[in-house]
């Protein structure tokens, strides 16, 4: 009887140890539609809040995680760079900046909370 209890305890530890904390952030597929929507929203907010006259864009997604909360929380780590497009030019494909306006890339972590059934999405945190 005792060996069954020990086995069940070890199985639980093994499962939690390798799958992450229950209810905690889990690695997500970068191509997932929800991750992409959250990332696009976060980048748009980042550009809107920036005082720079040039748009920034993601050059690499370092990590994407999801967490089930009252909705879905997305924690996305990206590398960003300045483009040659001014903010007023709209939604066009922008090449990375070159010459005098080029700046070094930087890393950001965006935390986005989405509740699609309420048509609600929010940028909770932005660390760059």
């Amino acid at each position: 009887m005792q060996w069954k209890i020990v086995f069940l305890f070890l199985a639980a530890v093994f499962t939690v140890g390798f799958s992450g904390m229950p209810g905690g952030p889990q690695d997500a597929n970068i191509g997932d539609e929800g991750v992409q929507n959250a990332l696009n929203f976060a980048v748009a907010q980042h550009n809107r809040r920036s005082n720079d006259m040039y748009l920034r864009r993601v050059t690499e997604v370092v990590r994407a995680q999801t967490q089930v909360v009252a909705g879905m929380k997305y924690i996305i780590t990206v590398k960003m760079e300045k483009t040659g497009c001014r903010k007023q030019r709209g939604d066009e494909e922008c090449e990375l900046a070159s010459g005098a306006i080029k700046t070094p890339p930087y890393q950001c972590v965006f935390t986005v909370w989405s509740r699609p059934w309420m048509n609600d999405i929010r940028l909770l945190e932005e660390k760059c």
Side-chain angles (χ1 to χ4, degrees):
M1 180 74 163
Q2 287 181 346
W3 65 271
K4 289 181 182 179
I5 294 171
V6 170
F7 176 76
L8 291 173
F9 174 76
L10 290 175
V13 168
F14 181 78
T15 301
V16 170
F18 286 99
S19 67
M21 185 175 75
Q26 303 290 318
D27 286 337
N29 182 343
I30 294 164
D32 177 74
E33 182 180 358
V35 172
Q36 288 296 310
N37 289 339
L39 179 57
N40 291 337
F41 177 78
V43 171
Q45 293 298 309
H46 177 75
N47 279 316
R48 190 172 292 128
R49 294 175 179 182
S50 165
N51 290 330
D52 197 324
M53 69 175 76
Y54 293 94
L55 292 172
R56 307 297 173 125
R57 81 169 197 203
V58 173
T59 56
E60 179 186 349
V61 178
V62 176
R63 185 175 191 188
Q65 295 182 294
T66 57
Q67 181 179 9
V68 177
V69 290
M72 186 67 76
K73 186 191 298 184
Y74 298 92
I75 304 121
I76 308 167
T77 305
V78 297
K79 290 188 180 172
M80 305 277 292
E81 286 193 48
K82 183 187 280 192
T83 70
C85 292
R86 292 182 181 259
K87 287 184 177 180
Q88 297 83 3
R89 290 180 64 182
D91 293 334
E92 62 184 80
E93 189 63 32
C94 298
E95 296 296 320
L96 293 176
S98 60
I101 65 169
K102 183 165 178 64
T103 58
Y106 57 97
Q107 185 166 295
C108 292
V109 179
F110 298 119
T111 303
V112 177
W113 181 31
S114 176
R115 297 182 295 175
W117 65 92
M118 296 179 70
N119 200 23
D120 182 36
I121 186 166
R122 300 174 190 192
L123 181 60
L124 298 179
E125 189 171 28
E126 172 183 354
K127 292 181 188 175
C128 295

